[in-house]
Amino acid sequence: FRDALRHFIRQDLKDYMEQIGEADGEARGKWLLGVKAAQGALLVQLITWVRLVENSLGTMDDGEGVRKAWEQQSALLLDLVELTKTDLSKPERQKVMCAITLDAHNRDVQERLVREQVASPEAFQWQSMLKGYWEVEQDAEGVETGGGDARMQ
């Protein structure tokens, strides 16, 4: 099962990076509907969110980069909400609702980063978060919080 899930995650991440611009919520919704394993889609969603936030941290001294990433995340969330207003099958709707839940949480985390004026990836508020990464050289997915990490074996 793990090998199959790892295969789908690897393929979904590759497809996501090739098909979707950072702020294209509509394309993101279409990608989500096409993935085979919902767990993999959620992990890809987490990995790409971590990239969005980490790329925004430290880009502007006044925290404006973090604010812009928060606004981008909010727009991506609203695009998924719009997708629920279309004709979806029950499994598709469930997949989208899970993605909305994760996006709403991520948006709220970013809102806290903005409110607390976090502008560095080394800030405690960001370091204490559970984050998803894909390590290309090891071809392994994992999660990390603070200084520790866990890999899918």
Side-chain angles (χ1 to χ4, degrees):
F1 175 76
R2 283 189 197 160
D3 288 339
L5 187 56
R6 197 176 283 123
H7 166 79
F8 285 122
I9 293 167
R10 189 178 305 115
Q11 186 61 50
D12 291 340
L13 184 60
K14 180 179 179 262
D15 292 346
Y16 187 98
M17 301 310 282
E18 289 175 356
Q19 297 172 11
I20 301 171
E22 285 185 15
D24 190 346
E26 188 176 327
R28 186 172 174 246
K30 288 178 183 175
W31 167 83
L32 179 63
L33 295 177
V35 297
K36 305 269 188 294
Q39 303 96 320
L42 293 173
L43 183 57
V44 168
Q45 187 178 351
L46 180 61
I47 290 167
T48 56
W49 173 73
V50 168
R51 286 181 184 175
L52 171 70
V53 175
E54 289 191 343
N55 288 339
S56 74
L57 289 167
T59 58
M60 299 180 184
D61 290 336
D62 61 358
E64 190 59 28
V66 177
R67 177 176 294 284
K68 287 181 180 179
W70 171 53
E71 291 169 356
Q72 182 178 339
Q73 180 63 33
S74 295
L76 291 170
L77 172 59
L78 291 175
D79 286 336
L80 284 181
V81 170
E82 286 299 314
L83 186 57
T84 65
K85 298 176 183 177
T86 64
D87 185 29
L88 299 173
S89 67
K90 188 174 180 178
E92 289 172 334
R93 186 167 304 281
Q94 186 171 11
K95 199 179 332 182
V96 172
M97 295 305 293
C98 289
I100 287 172
T101 301
L102 183 57
D103 268 2
H105 169 73
N106 293 344
R107 178 209 54 204
D108 294 348
V109 167
Q110 284 177 269
E111 182 179 18
R112 189 176 121 220
L113 296 176
V114 169
R115 191 175 56 249
E116 295 178 7
Q117 299 177 343
V118 174
S120 167
E122 287 80 31
F124 175 78
Q125 295 91 327
W126 180 245
Q127 286 295 312
S128 65
M129 294 284 112
L130 184 64
K131 300 177 284 289
Y133 296 93
W134 187 274
E135 296 183 359
V136 176
E137 59 278 351
Q138 293 180 1
D139 199 24
E141 64 284 350
V143 293
E144 178 178 305
T145 182
D149 62 27
R151 304 255 184 281
M152 184 183 225
Q153 300 291 330

